[in-house]
Amino acid sequence: MHTGEKVVPIKLDLQVNHTVIKDQFFWDMNNFEGDPEEFARTFCEDMKIEDPEVGPAIAIAIREQLYEIAKQGVASVRENRTNKKGRRGMEHLSASKVGSPALDLGKLFDPDGSIQRGKSECDAFEPIVSHLSNEEVDAVEAREERLPR
């Protein structure tokens, strides 16, 4: 089994009750110690979110995205194998060969640089957590009802 890094982008854009969360970050799918529930608990503690429904919603959003990415990877491997039916033996396919959304972090950053953000960039990448009033929640719900499905 391939146990190298498989880093994928995760995006959160949630509204749970009166709390709106927008964030994006990278998740290593091959780090089996990565736990969406623990991440969500820590996120809520760090952002001082007290609504008990927010943490589970964050964990579910992460798990749904990880599931979709894994499903796309399996479909790509299957397609690749059916296209190579004439070959014998099993071939190890890296994430980049099967077209999965894993990222090569080396391509994102220059070789002399670091993948860590500098202090000046931190504000641009911090999570956005907003608390809505009752009127704002009603307006968002009314807007969603008007949207065609």
Side-chain angles (χ1 to χ4, degrees):
M1 175 183 253
H2 176 49
T3 58
E5 286 186 345
K6 183 176 180 185
V7 180
V8 295
I10 300 293
K11 295 183 181 184
L12 299 177
D13 188 2
L14 304 170
Q15 178 186 341
V16 181
N17 300 327
H18 292 273
T19 306
V20 175
I21 298 164
K22 295 181 187 232
D23 195 11
Q24 60 184 5
F25 47 89
F26 295 118
W27 192 275
D28 182 1
M29 291 183 69
N30 286 342
N31 178 359
F32 299 114
E33 293 180 14
D35 180 18
E37 286 75 16
E38 182 62 30
F39 176 88
R41 278 190 293 278
T42 303
F43 182 91
C44 289
E45 287 173 12
D46 291 349
M47 302 305 293
K48 297 177 179 38
I49 299 172
E50 296 179 6
D51 186 339
E53 294 180 24
V54 173
I58 291 171
I60 288 170
I62 293 170
R63 286 201 182 276
E64 286 175 343
Q65 291 179 54
L66 293 174
Y67 173 77
E68 285 300 318
I69 291 166
K71 192 167 79 170
Q72 290 170 3
V74 168
S76 295
V77 169
R78 283 185 183 156
E79 181 179 322
N80 196 329
R81 286 185 181 161
T82 58
N83 290 339
K84 296 182 178 182
K85 274 197 171 180
R87 295 187 181 175
R88 291 182 181 209
M90 293 297 288
E91 183 178 320
H92 174 72
L93 301 172
S94 71
S96 61
K97 288 182 183 177
V98 296
S100 74
L103 301 175
D104 181 357
L105 292 179
K107 292 179 182 176
L108 291 176
F109 304 96
D110 67 68
D112 298 328
S114 168
I115 62 169
Q116 295 180 345
R117 295 184 182 114
K119 291 258 186 213
S120 62
E121 294 178 301
C122 287
D123 290 339
F125 290 97
E126 69 182 351
I128 298 170
V129 176
S130 305
H131 298 283
L132 303 177
S133 67
N134 289 337
E135 295 80 22
E136 290 170 321
V137 170
D138 292 341
V140 168
E141 289 173 355
R143 192 175 328 123
E144 287 177 357
E145 286 178 11
R146 287 190 299 244
L147 291 176
R149 296 181 194 249

